[in-house]
Amino acid sequence: MTMKMILHTPDRFAAAFPICEDLPDAVITDEDIQSIAHLPIWFTHAKTDTTVRPSQFVIPTYKRLVEAGNTNVHFTFWDKVLDSTGLYTTEAGAPFEYIGHWSWIPMLNNECTLDYDGSPVTIDGNPVTILEWMAAQKKV
């Protein structure tokens, strides 16, 4: 839904944060990409998501936005979604692993800090979390 909203009205939003983005890249036109190439976007997804396959959805869309010149597009790509609170563990004491489609858990816990290449997302050279990044965005 996030992708449909920003593609339908790209000038309405200051930024977007699609979680487990599920609009197939194959249906996003080059004109669509150009219409949101100015928009700050931070994607989050997990490699273990079997509900929405990242290779068919978020990865190609992210790469197309980078190629289109979007300098404020980010993508935190989790290996898997683990409990970070310490409240939920396996019998062995390891963090509980949620299903891969639940990437909203670390996003809403403000744990998104790294970009697709593993480097920290920064503003003015300072590392930021996704919520700090969102608060800093302004509608152009």
Side-chain angles (χ1 to χ4, degrees):
M1 186 58 157
T2 302
M3 290 301 291
K4 286 185 177 186
M5 289 173 63
I6 64 174
L7 289 171
H8 183 57
T9 55
D11 296 324
R12 173 177 268 179
F13 304 96
F17 57 99
I19 303 168
C20 302
E21 187 258 309
D22 67 345
L23 186 62
D25 184 68
V27 303
I28 301 173
T29 67
D30 290 340
E31 292 78 21
D32 289 335
I33 292 292
Q34 287 303 315
S35 75
I36 60 171
H38 71 285
L39 185 65
I41 303 171
W42 191 325
F43 296 96
T44 61
H45 214 118
K47 295 174 185 175
T48 55
D49 189 340
T50 58
T51 303
V52 178
R53 304 265 184 210
S55 61
Q56 298 169 355
F57 297 85
V58 66
I59 294 172
T61 302
Y62 167 78
K63 288 180 177 181
R64 289 173 66 198
L65 284 164
V66 169
E67 289 172 10
N70 190 329
T71 58
N72 197 3
V73 60
H74 307 285
F75 176 19
T76 298
F77 197 28
W78 306 101
D79 286 329
K80 50 190 163 185
V81 181
L82 298 173
D83 179 74
S84 63
T85 67
L87 296 173
Y88 306 101
T89 60
T90 65
E91 287 184 22
F96 179 79
E97 182 177 343
Y98 296 100
I99 62 171
H101 192 60
W102 289 12
S103 292
W104 50 269
I105 292 173
M107 184 273 150
L108 292 175
N109 283 327
N110 201 26
E111 296 170 355
C112 298
T113 59
L114 300 180
D115 217 332
Y116 188 61
D117 64 1
S119 66
V121 174
T122 62
I123 295 177
D124 298 328
N126 298 310
V128 294
T129 66
I130 192 168
L131 296 179
E132 293 167 328
W133 173 85
M134 284 193 303
Q137 304 311 306
K138 307 256 187 282
K139 190 172 171 194
V140 183

